[in-house]
Amino acid sequence: MNTFINTAHKIAQHGLVLCGSGNLSCRKDEQQMLISASGSWLSDITEEQIAVCRINDGVCVNGKKPSVELGFHRYVLKQRRDVNTVLHFQSPYATALACSDDIESAKGLSCIPEVPYYIGPVATVPYLTPGSDDLAQAVTAALQKHDLVVLRNHGQVTVGKDYREVLQRALFFEFAAAIYFQTNRQPVSIDEQGINFLYQARRNGFVWQRESKPLR
């Protein structure tokens, strides 16, 4: 619980959520998950505002009311065994992109190496009613082969093996979205060869290094 609470506070401190926006979940064990409660603020969430739910059917076992977005949180945890943490965030620049007429640019936002390496290809989904099963199904489908999805007029969802990974992905995507707008929507992307190299490095699990020559 303490790690969940500390991470939620960090998410808010980094400006990834505002007031009651956004929600966080993690796998507790093979059958259960933790998720922020409905109406809770990640900035000051306490143990009393964390719901414990069964992953298989979503039933809450500790008497708390889970986030309205429980659907996609548990579907993702159920279908992706490599994922232990799910974060729905609404950071300023990334959400501005989600609300713009150029949302598809999110798919190619590779102006910094951290996006293709740490996040990989980005997915998008159309606007669907928050909390609906339609949204839950669409987000889950998008996250089958992606680790971050942009929700039209809504925000973003990212996943990872632990709290640190989801925080890192959310922060790097927000950074790239900020660059996108600060360059008047015309950032210079890494070339195709460079992006493919970073994708391969991501798949193989190694950190890229510049080729260096010995000093003379």
Side-chain angles (χ1 to χ4, degrees):
M1 286 284 190
N2 286 341
T3 305
F4 186 103
I5 291 169
N6 291 338
T7 302
H9 293 173
K10 284 182 182 178
I11 289 166
Q13 288 163 8
H14 282 293
L16 295 173
V17 294
L18 181 67
C19 301
S21 73
N23 27 78
L24 176 68
S25 72
C26 77
R27 194 185 302 276
K28 183 174 183 285
D29 53 40
E30 290 300 308
Q31 287 78 39
Q32 298 181 328
M33 61 185 284
L34 306 178
I35 185 168
S36 49
S38 178
S40 61
W41 291 25
L42 296 188
S43 60
D44 57 10
I45 198 170
T46 65
E47 188 170 341
E48 292 300 307
Q49 298 169 309
I50 300 173
V52 181
C53 300
R54 295 200 299 249
I55 295 172
N56 188 51
D57 58 15
V59 171
C60 183
V61 299
N62 71 336
K64 312 299 180 184
K65 184 180 180 181
S67 166
V68 70
E69 305 294 8
L70 171 65
F72 64 69
H73 283 269
R74 74 177 186 86
Y75 290 169
V76 170
L77 292 176
K78 186 176 180 180
Q79 294 186 23
R80 285 192 57 177
R81 303 305 301 172
D82 62 315
V83 165
N84 293 309
T85 308
V86 181
L87 170 63
H88 170 38
F89 64 104
Q90 293 175 309
S91 53
Y93 285 103
T95 306
L97 183 55
C99 297
S100 77
D101 59 1
D102 201 17
I103 185 175
E104 290 302 305
S105 293
K107 293 181 178 179
L109 206 57
S110 295
C111 50
I112 54 173
E114 287 80 3
V115 171
Y117 183 74
Y118 289 109
I119 299 172
V122 174
T124 63
V125 298
Y127 178 79
L128 295 164
T129 304
S132 67
D133 194 58
D134 285 343
L135 176 64
Q137 295 285 357
V139 170
T140 305
L143 290 173
Q144 289 304 297
K145 295 184 178 179
H146 299 82
D147 289 330
L148 192 145
V149 57
V150 178
L151 320 182
R152 161 70 77 182
N153 296 109
H154 193 164
Q156 298 70 231
V157 180
T158 189
V159 299
K161 65 180 183 295
D162 53 31
Y163 295 113
R164 189 178 184 88
E165 193 163 66
V166 294
L167 181 58
Q168 178 173 250
R169 285 173 173 159
L171 288 171
F172 278 139
F173 189 72
E174 170 64 7
F175 182 36
I179 293 170
Y180 175 78
F181 284 108
Q182 290 168 359
T183 55
N184 296 316
R185 300 190 182 194
Q186 294 180 325
V188 175
S189 178
I190 299 169
D191 62 34
E192 184 177 357
Q193 182 178 359
I195 291 173
N196 288 336
F197 175 80
L198 292 168
Y199 282 163
Q200 182 179 357
R202 169 182 165 80
R203 288 191 296 270
N204 295 339
F206 65 87
V207 178
W208 71 92
Q209 293 181 340
R210 288 184 62 183
E211 213 175 285
S212 58
K213 295 180 180 179
L215 295 174
R216 299 187 176 213

